[in-house]
Amino acid sequence: MTSLSDLPIRDDLRGLSPYGAPQENVPIQLNVNENTHAIPEAVATDIVRALAIAVMGVNRYPDREFTDLRESLAAYLGHGLTPDNIWAANGSNEILQQTLQVFGGPGRSVLGFPPTYSMHSIIANATGTRWVTAERDSGYAISPETVVAAIEREQPDIVFLCSPNNPTGTALALETIVAAYDATPGILLIDEAYAEFADGDTALTLLEGRPRLIISRTMSKAFAFAGARLGYLAADPAITDALRLVRLPYHLSALTQAASVAALAHAPEMLAMVDDIKAQRDLIIATLPSLGYSPLPSQSNFVLFGGVADPHATFEALFEQGILIRDVGIPHHLRVSAGTEQETEIFLDALTSLKGHSTQSVADGVGRIQG
């Protein structure tokens, strides 16, 4: 049987592994930072109506410029943005890919600050862009001095900063973003996939007068739209013109556009669940120390916690109880998404049982979900 190594793939792809977050059919799935809340029924009904109308026209190609969607996204973001400032794609990963296709590629580099979103380096490799790294400060923060020193040392063509950062939940100060922009002659992309869960100011406030700044967003998290695959960015109109050079024709389907526009029309209802998710996140952070763990402060919809003697064993023990969280490869740490109140209770009960307490509440909880 032919194996991957037998194929004439690019030399720079040999030995690499694809993105591989586990997809398991278990009752409690808290491993990929999804919004586990269901879309409100009235909103779902309107989305289905929009899809029904769109289906009647799928014999034709969709609007290549996704005009209605860009108008809806600009209105949602505010900050004086217009549709000319907006670009969208099939998830924020495609936004990152198109950015690197335009501004990266062979002979160019992108600077990141691990631990950070794993797809940053994977997409860099896929586009032939050299991935270079720099260390964070203590507590996974990045100060203006740290980011400037790294940019001056590495001289990257692109800088990726994630705020709030995945997997740590750490938010960037706007001063750090301004310092990074001023230090680099190239593109600065701020990945704000979890911005709706953060308490601080968004980098959108910095866009005016900074034509090399890109703010990447997604509808996957706060909007509970992960399965719809809609990512977008805000930037100077010249950036969106540049991305048109590499986008595939009609890259956003008519169904994706229709569903996203319908969801954005119900933004207040869709975002009503954000406060509940933040409450569950804060409850996890407040409870974990009593169980002997060390949670990091988080401005996202997940919590990274340390003090785990054997992350793999803990991961497997939770999985056996129907709970899936994430081993992100940081020694003695695991990451858990903040889910519903019920899911949080079951997760915390399970961790308690692993510390030698009763497992009955965990069994009862999993039974409630399965039922």
Side-chain angles (χ1 to χ4, degrees):
M1 181 179 294
T2 301
S3 67
L4 183 62
S5 61
D6 297 320
L7 298 175
I9 65 174
R10 287 172 13 206
D11 290 340
D12 60 325
L13 294 180
R14 292 192 181 279
L16 299 181
S17 299
Y19 179 84
Q23 285 189 304
E24 301 288 347
N25 186 22
V26 296
I28 311 297
Q29 300 177 36
L30 303 173
N31 66 320
V32 288
N33 304 336
E34 295 162 318
N35 186 334
T36 64
H37 292 62
I39 292 176
E41 185 175 353
V43 179
T45 298
D46 275 0
I47 293 173
V48 170
R49 289 195 188 102
L51 288 171
I53 295 171
V55 164
M56 297 304 295
V58 293
N59 58 309
R60 301 290 188 181
Y61 286 115
D63 175 10
R64 185 173 56 238
E65 294 299 311
F66 42 96
T67 307
D68 290 345
L69 177 56
R70 287 164 58 215
E71 290 176 351
S72 295
L73 287 168
Y76 166 67
L77 290 178
H79 295 282
L81 296 172
T82 72
D84 290 338
N85 296 112
I86 305 299
W87 190 252
N90 294 284
S92 59
N93 286 331
E94 189 174 33
I95 291 290
L96 300 175
Q97 177 177 274
Q98 290 178 348
T99 299
L100 288 174
Q101 286 175 317
V102 173
F103 301 106
R108 297 192 176 191
S109 63
V110 54
L111 170 66
F113 289 78
T116 192
Y117 181 38
S118 60
M119 286 303 299
H120 287 176
S121 60
I122 292 173
I123 295 173
N125 288 326
T127 59
T129 311
R130 185 167 59 93
W131 173 251
V132 295
T133 62
E135 293 186 0
R136 292 172 172 266
D137 300 320
S138 62
Y140 299 108
I142 305 176
S143 68
E145 294 77 15
T146 293
V147 76
V148 169
I151 291 171
E152 291 178 345
R153 181 178 67 251
E154 300 294 345
Q155 294 294 302
D157 299 280
I158 308 167
V159 178
F160 277 178
L161 295 174
C162 196
S163 182
N165 184 52
N166 179 11
T168 64
T170 315
L172 287 174
L174 293 185
E175 291 80 4
T176 295
I177 297 172
V178 171
Y181 184 88
D182 291 343
T184 179
I187 295 295
L188 172 62
L189 184 144
I190 309 300
D191 187 338
E192 284 195 344
Y194 302 94
E196 285 90 349
F197 301 99
D199 296 326
D201 291 331
T202 167
L204 292 171
T205 60
L206 303 175
L207 270 176
E208 186 174 357
R210 294 183 173 88
R212 294 176 287 103
L213 178 61
I214 297 173
I215 314 300
S216 173
R217 291 285 193 98
T218 182
M219 290 183 68
S220 293
K221 311 302 180 181
F223 272 84
F225 233 48
R229 310 307 302 132
L230 197 288
Y232 58 101
L233 64 75
D236 188 273
I239 295 288
T240 62
D241 282 342
L243 295 177
R244 287 181 174 89
L245 300 175
V246 298
R247 62 101 178 265
L248 295 175
Y250 314 105
H251 71 291
L252 278 179
S253 79
L255 303 184
T256 297
Q257 294 182 43
S260 300
V261 169
L264 287 162
H266 292 275
E269 300 101 302
M270 296 289 277
L271 296 178
M273 62 190 87
V274 167
D275 286 341
D276 181 58
I277 294 169
K278 290 167 66 175
Q280 300 312 310
R281 174 198 69 195
D282 294 343
L283 176 60
I284 293 170
I285 292 172
T287 305
L288 286 177
S290 65
L291 301 179
Y293 299 107
S294 304
L296 273 71
S298 176
Q299 290 287 306
S300 57
N301 69 335
F302 56 83
V303 177
L304 180 72
F305 59 98
V308 187
D310 188 337
H312 180 71
T314 302
F315 173 90
E316 290 293 337
L318 290 171
F319 182 72
E320 289 177 2
Q321 298 183 65
I323 303 167
L324 186 61
I325 64 172
R326 189 71 174 270
D327 184 346
V328 294
I330 301 176
H332 305 297
H333 285 72
L334 289 168
R335 190 194 71 195
V336 61
S337 306
T340 63
E341 181 179 358
Q342 187 180 43
E343 289 169 331
T344 299
E345 177 186 354
I346 294 170
F347 163 70
L348 291 174
D349 281 352
L351 274 187
T352 301
S353 75
L354 295 182
K355 287 292 186 178
H357 297 273
S358 171
T359 62
Q360 187 59 47
S361 59
V362 178
D364 291 344
V366 172
R368 290 197 301 272
I369 293 291
Q370 290 173 328

mmCIF file with all atom_site columns, all heavy atoms in Angstrom, residues 44 54 86 125 250 274 301 329 367:
data_model
loop_
_atom_site.group_PDB
_atom_site.id
_atom_site.type_symbol
_atom_site.label_atom_id
_atom_site.label_alt_id
_atom_site.label_comp_id
_atom_site.label_asym_id
_atom_site.label_entity_id
_atom_site.label_seq_id
_atom_site.pdbx_PDB_ins_code
_atom_site.Cartn_x
_atom_site.Cartn_y
_atom_site.Cartn_z
_atom_site.occupancy
_atom_site.B_iso_or_equiv
_atom_site.pdbx_formal_charge
_atom_site.auth_seq_id
_atom_site.auth_comp_id
_atom_site.auth_asym_id
_atom_site.auth_atom_id
_atom_site.pdbx_PDB_model_num
ATOM 1  N N   . ALA A 1 44  ? -32.809 30.284 15.071  1.00 0.00 ? 44  ALA A N   1
ATOM 2  C CA  . ALA A 1 44  ? -32.590 29.153 14.162  1.00 0.00 ? 44  ALA A CA  1
ATOM 3  C C   . ALA A 1 44  ? -33.671 29.104 13.089  1.00 0.00 ? 44  ALA A C   1
ATOM 4  O O   . ALA A 1 44  ? -33.390 28.804 11.917  1.00 0.00 ? 44  ALA A O   1
ATOM 5  C CB  . ALA A 1 44  ? -32.563 27.845 14.948  1.00 0.00 ? 44  ALA A CB  1
ATOM 6  N N   . ALA A 1 54  ? -32.194 30.965 -0.119  1.00 0.00 ? 54  ALA A N   1
ATOM 7  C CA  . ALA A 1 54  ? -30.916 30.855 -0.823  1.00 0.00 ? 54  ALA A CA  1
ATOM 8  C C   . ALA A 1 54  ? -30.850 29.585 -1.666  1.00 0.00 ? 54  ALA A C   1
ATOM 9  O O   . ALA A 1 54  ? -30.281 29.585 -2.770  1.00 0.00 ? 54  ALA A O   1
ATOM 10 C CB  . ALA A 1 54  ? -29.762 30.882 0.179   1.00 0.00 ? 54  ALA A CB  1
ATOM 11 N N   . ILE A 1 86  ? -14.079 45.307 5.313   1.00 0.00 ? 86  ILE A N   1
ATOM 12 C CA  . ILE A 1 86  ? -14.395 43.955 5.757   1.00 0.00 ? 86  ILE A CA  1
ATOM 13 C C   . ILE A 1 86  ? -14.061 42.928 4.685   1.00 0.00 ? 86  ILE A C   1
ATOM 14 O O   . ILE A 1 86  ? -14.303 43.137 3.493   1.00 0.00 ? 86  ILE A O   1
ATOM 15 C CB  . ILE A 1 86  ? -15.899 43.847 6.115   1.00 0.00 ? 86  ILE A CB  1
ATOM 16 C CG1 . ILE A 1 86  ? -16.290 44.904 7.146   1.00 0.00 ? 86  ILE A CG1 1
ATOM 17 C CG2 . ILE A 1 86  ? -16.232 42.442 6.603   1.00 0.00 ? 86  ILE A CG2 1
ATOM 18 C CD1 . ILE A 1 86  ? -15.553 44.803 8.466   1.00 0.00 ? 86  ILE A CD1 1
ATOM 19 N N   . ASN A 1 125 ? 3.530   26.988 7.503   1.00 0.00 ? 125 ASN A N   1
ATOM 20 C CA  . ASN A 1 125 ? 4.235   25.923 6.783   1.00 0.00 ? 125 ASN A CA  1
ATOM 21 C C   . ASN A 1 125 ? 3.533   25.583 5.472   1.00 0.00 ? 125 ASN A C   1
ATOM 22 O O   . ASN A 1 125 ? 4.182   25.359 4.448   1.00 0.00 ? 125 ASN A O   1
ATOM 23 C CB  . ASN A 1 125 ? 4.334   24.674 7.664   1.00 0.00 ? 125 ASN A CB  1
ATOM 24 C CG  . ASN A 1 125 ? 5.326   24.826 8.803   1.00 0.00 ? 125 ASN A CG  1
ATOM 25 O OD1 . ASN A 1 125 ? 6.350   25.496 8.653   1.00 0.00 ? 125 ASN A OD1 1
ATOM 26 N ND2 . ASN A 1 125 ? 5.030   24.225 9.933   1.00 0.00 ? 125 ASN A ND2 1
ATOM 27 N N   . TYR A 1 250 ? -15.763 32.854 -5.988  1.00 0.00 ? 250 TYR A N   1
ATOM 28 C CA  . TYR A 1 250 ? -16.997 32.461 -5.289  1.00 0.00 ? 250 TYR A CA  1
ATOM 29 C C   . TYR A 1 250 ? -16.690 31.603 -4.058  1.00 0.00 ? 250 TYR A C   1
ATOM 30 O O   . TYR A 1 250 ? -17.308 30.563 -3.828  1.00 0.00 ? 250 TYR A O   1
ATOM 31 C CB  . TYR A 1 250 ? -17.931 31.706 -6.236  1.00 0.00 ? 250 TYR A CB  1
ATOM 32 C CG  . TYR A 1 250 ? -18.081 32.353 -7.588  1.00 0.00 ? 250 TYR A CG  1
ATOM 33 C CD1 . TYR A 1 250 ? -17.456 31.812 -8.716  1.00 0.00 ? 250 TYR A CD1 1
ATOM 34 C CD2 . TYR A 1 250 ? -18.830 33.511 -7.754  1.00 0.00 ? 250 TYR A CD2 1
ATOM 35 C CE1 . TYR A 1 250 ? -17.578 32.406 -9.962  1.00 0.00 ? 250 TYR A CE1 1
ATOM 36 C CE2 . TYR A 1 250 ? -18.957 34.116 -9.001  1.00 0.00 ? 250 TYR A CE2 1
ATOM 37 C CZ  . TYR A 1 250 ? -18.334 33.561 -10.100 1.00 0.00 ? 250 TYR A CZ  1
ATOM 38 O OH  . TYR A 1 250 ? -18.458 34.152 -11.332 1.00 0.00 ? 250 TYR A OH  1
ATOM 39 N N   . VAL A 1 274 ? -23.088 34.840 25.932  1.00 0.00 ? 274 VAL A N   1
ATOM 40 C CA  . VAL A 1 274 ? -21.695 35.144 26.271  1.00 0.00 ? 274 VAL A CA  1
ATOM 41 C C   . VAL A 1 274 ? -21.527 35.361 27.771  1.00 0.00 ? 274 VAL A C   1
ATOM 42 O O   . VAL A 1 274 ? -20.574 34.858 28.386  1.00 0.00 ? 274 VAL A O   1
ATOM 43 C CB  . VAL A 1 274 ? -21.198 36.367 25.478  1.00 0.00 ? 274 VAL A CB  1
ATOM 44 C CG1 . VAL A 1 274 ? -19.873 36.880 26.037  1.00 0.00 ? 274 VAL A CG1 1
ATOM 45 C CG2 . VAL A 1 274 ? -21.038 36.010 24.005  1.00 0.00 ? 274 VAL A CG2 1
ATOM 46 N N   . ASN A 1 301 ? -13.147 31.965 26.344  1.00 0.00 ? 301 ASN A N   1
ATOM 47 C CA  . ASN A 1 301 ? -14.190 31.031 26.783  1.00 0.00 ? 301 ASN A CA  1
ATOM 48 C C   . ASN A 1 301 ? -13.593 29.695 27.196  1.00 0.00 ? 301 ASN A C   1
ATOM 49 O O   . ASN A 1 301 ? -14.242 28.658 27.096  1.00 0.00 ? 301 ASN A O   1
ATOM 50 C CB  . ASN A 1 301 ? -15.243 30.828 25.685  1.00 0.00 ? 301 ASN A CB  1
ATOM 51 C CG  . ASN A 1 301 ? -14.698 30.058 24.487  1.00 0.00 ? 301 ASN A CG  1
ATOM 52 O OD1 . ASN A 1 301 ? -13.490 30.052 24.223  1.00 0.00 ? 301 ASN A OD1 1
ATOM 53 N ND2 . ASN A 1 301 ? -15.581 29.399 23.751  1.00 0.00 ? 301 ASN A ND2 1
ATOM 54 N N   . GLY A 1 329 ? -0.156  20.226 25.247  1.00 0.00 ? 329 GLY A N   1
ATOM 55 C CA  . GLY A 1 329 ? 1.268   19.989 25.145  1.00 0.00 ? 329 GLY A CA  1
ATOM 56 C C   . GLY A 1 329 ? 2.130   20.820 26.081  1.00 0.00 ? 329 GLY A C   1
ATOM 57 O O   . GLY A 1 329 ? 3.364   20.752 26.006  1.00 0.00 ? 329 GLY A O   1
ATOM 58 N N   . GLY A 1 367 ? -25.271 10.707 33.154  1.00 0.00 ? 367 GLY A N   1
ATOM 59 C CA  . GLY A 1 367 ? -26.546 10.088 32.844  1.00 0.00 ? 367 GLY A CA  1
ATOM 60 C C   . GLY A 1 367 ? -27.606 11.107 32.439  1.00 0.00 ? 367 GLY A C   1
ATOM 61 O O   . GLY A 1 367 ? -28.398 10.878 31.538  1.00 0.00 ? 367 GLY A O   1
#
